[in-house]
């Protein structure tokens, strides 16, 4: 399980997702949000939505996640299938739609 504390505006309150925070394998953080990979390869996020705390727009793609990386306000997840999924503040890496074809060649 995961225990969080601190200012809720910066991800210090995980009560909305606490029941999901079991078998967490890895956690990464932006300035204002957190993301954790669970043992089944899914991802749980919390904190400020526009800084990566809300991954609902890409939740269908967040399967078999192997690794997470974070910038100040965005996350990137690599999957077992070789895809890269990004979310968070679009101007700092949260929107990779313009380069999806290039990312498939990595």
């Amino acid at each position: 399980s995961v225990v969080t504390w601190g200012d809720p505006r910066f991800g210090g309150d995980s009560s909305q997702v606490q029941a999901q925070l079991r078998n967490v394998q890895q956690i990464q953080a932006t300035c204002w949000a957190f993301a954790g990979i669970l043992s089944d390869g899914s991802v749980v996020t919390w904190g400020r939505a526009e800084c990566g705390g809300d991954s609902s727009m890409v939740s269908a793609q967040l399967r078999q996640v192997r690794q997470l990386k974070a910038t100040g306000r965005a996350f990137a997840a690599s999957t077992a299938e070789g895809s890269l999924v990004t979310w968070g503040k679009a101007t700092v890496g949260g929107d990779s739609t313009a380069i999806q074809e290039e990312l498939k060649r990595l």
Side-chain angles (χ1 to χ4, degrees):
S1 67
V2 174
V3 176
T4 60
W5 63 95
D7 193 322
R9 295 174 299 161
F10 303 111
D13 180 6
S14 61
S15 60
Q16 296 293 319
V17 296
Q18 191 61 48
Q20 299 171 59
L21 293 174
R22 302 283 184 259
N23 300 312
V24 177
Q25 305 299 304
Q26 179 189 1
I27 293 179
Q28 288 287 322
T30 65
C31 291
W32 298 19
F34 292 87
I37 303 174
L38 305 183
S39 59
D40 66 359
S42 63
V43 173
V44 176
T45 58
W46 68 96
R48 184 167 250 173
E50 64 271 20
C51 295
D54 179 2
S55 58
S56 60
M57 296 295 286
V58 294
S59 62
Q61 299 169 265
L62 292 173
R63 302 285 179 252
Q64 297 182 332
V65 172
R66 297 292 180 238
Q67 191 172 34
L68 284 172
K69 294 292 181 184
T71 68
R73 294 183 181 178
F75 291 102
S78 59
T79 69
E81 297 173 341
S83 63
L84 186 71
V85 181
T86 59
W87 70 97
K89 189 161 180 73
T91 57
V92 291
D95 182 358
S96 60
T97 54
I99 60 165
Q100 281 303 303
E101 286 305 312
E102 289 88 348
L103 291 175
K104 289 177 183 175
R105 290 181 247 150
L106 294 178

